[in-house]
Amino acid sequence: PLTQYMAEKLVDLANITVITNSIQVFDILRKNSRFILFLTGGVLRSSSLMLVGPTAENTLKDMRADMLFLTATGVSFNFGISHTTVSEVTMKQAMIRSAREVILLADSTCFGQESVMQVAPLRSVQTIITDDALVASMRLQLNQLGIRVIIT
C-alpha cells in the first residue's frame, strides 16, 4: 500500500517524530533508532493492520503533527475525500484535526470515485501525491483549488 511505500522513503531520514496507527508503518520505521515513534494504540483491524477506535482517536487529541500522510479510497470534487470503513473514517478525521498540513496519497484510480463515507472536503488537503496516470484536466482543477499535485 501507499503508506508502506511512504514509510520506506522516510526510513533513512533522521530526527523526525512519527505518529501512526499503522502496524505496518510502525514496523518499517522502528528499525531506525533516530526516529521518535508514537503508536496510537486502539483496536486492531486485522484486515488493514490499523489501530482504530476511541483510544486511538483520543491519543491524537493532545498531539499536533506538522504533516499528515493520508490515504483514502475515493477522491471527488463533489464528495471530497471518502473511505469505505467507518472506524477508519473517524480515525482519519481525528488525524486531520491534529495536522497542520494534509498530504493525500492516492493513486489515480481513486479520483472520480466516491466511497461510502466522507472523510473530509477536498479543501482540507494542501498537497496530493499520485501517479502519472492522473488526467491533466483533473490536475488542472486541483491546482485551481490551490492543491499542489506531485506526480511520482
Side-chain angles (χ1 to χ4, degrees), residues 18-27 37-42 51 59 63:
V18 176
I19 306 164
T20 187
N21 71 321
S22 167
I23 298 297
Q24 292 171 324
V25 168
F26 183 83
D27 195 46
L37 290 175
F38 287 93
L39 190 59
T40 61
L51 297 169
T59 299
M63 300 183 115

Side-chain angles (χ1 to χ4, degrees), residues 80-81 120-126 145 147:
I81 304 161
L122 203 48
R123 68 179 177 274
S124 302
V125 174
Q126 289 77 40
L145 289 175
I147 299 171

Side-chain angles (χ1 to χ4, degrees), residues 32-99:
N32 183 336
S33 62
R34 298 171 298 184
F35 283 2
I36 297 172
L37 290 175
F38 287 93
L39 190 59
T40 61
V43 177
L44 178 66
R45 278 199 78 241
S46 40
S47 60
S48 63
L49 294 177
M50 296 289 183
L51 297 169
V52 296
T55 302
E57 293 167 28
N58 285 332
T59 299
L60 297 172
K61 285 183 180 175
D62 297 324
M63 300 183 115
R64 177 71 63 219
D66 289 329
M67 290 182 276
L68 165 63
F69 293 97
L70 182 74
T71 60
T73 54
V75 181
S76 72
F77 290 103
N78 292 330
F79 198 53
I81 304 161
S82 56
H83 198 66
T84 53
T85 309
V86 174
S87 59
E88 289 185 23
V89 166
T90 57
M91 188 64 188
K92 289 173 187 296
Q93 290 168 336
M95 290 175 172
I96 289 170
R97 286 189 295 274
S98 294

Side-chain angles (χ1 to χ4, degrees), residues 94-122:
M95 290 175 172
I96 289 170
R97 286 189 295 274
S98 294
R100 288 184 177 91
E101 179 182 2
V102 177
I103 301 166
L104 181 65
L105 305 173
D107 68 54
S108 58
T109 62
C110 295
F111 291 87
Q113 303 298 314
E114 294 179 352
S115 293
V116 178
M117 289 191 66
Q118 185 188 61
V119 175
L122 203 48

